[in-house]
Amino acid sequence: MSDHTYKLIELVGSSPVGVEEAVNSALHKANNSIHNMRWFEVCDIRGNIENGKVDHWQVTVKVGFTLEGD
């Protein structure tokens, strides 16, 4: 196993379907510009209420990725 240096960023994803879909939405979008993503941590879960029901979910995730050259 080689040594790696990671950078940590925070993303917020949303979805009307659920928490998992909100996480996947954030990761999918970030994958367009961030390479070498390795792990994530869910930090916060929120939702919007419309007419007494969950309208959509919003999830904050920290994402770790290896820096180029490692």
Side-chain angles (χ1 to χ4, degrees):
M1 179 174 162
S2 60
D3 293 332
H4 293 287
T5 301
Y6 295 93
K7 180 159 179 71
L8 186 65
I9 61 168
E10 198 169 83
L11 303 171
V12 179
S14 63
S15 170
V17 177
V19 171
E20 185 176 353
E21 186 64 30
V23 171
N24 282 324
S25 173
L27 296 177
H28 179 74
K29 185 71 172 181
N31 193 53
N32 293 331
S33 59
I34 300 169
H35 305 289
N36 303 318
M37 290 189 294
R38 300 293 182 222
W39 53 268
F40 72 92
E41 172 187 350
V42 174
C43 301
D44 196 21
I45 300 172
R46 294 174 297 284
N48 184 53
I49 302 168
E50 191 70 38
N51 297 319
K53 295 182 180 180
V54 175
D55 183 55
H56 71 269
W57 296 90
Q58 192 176 54
V59 179
T60 302
V61 292
K62 289 182 181 178
V63 177
F65 59 96
T66 53
L67 297 174
E68 296 289 328
D70 273 352

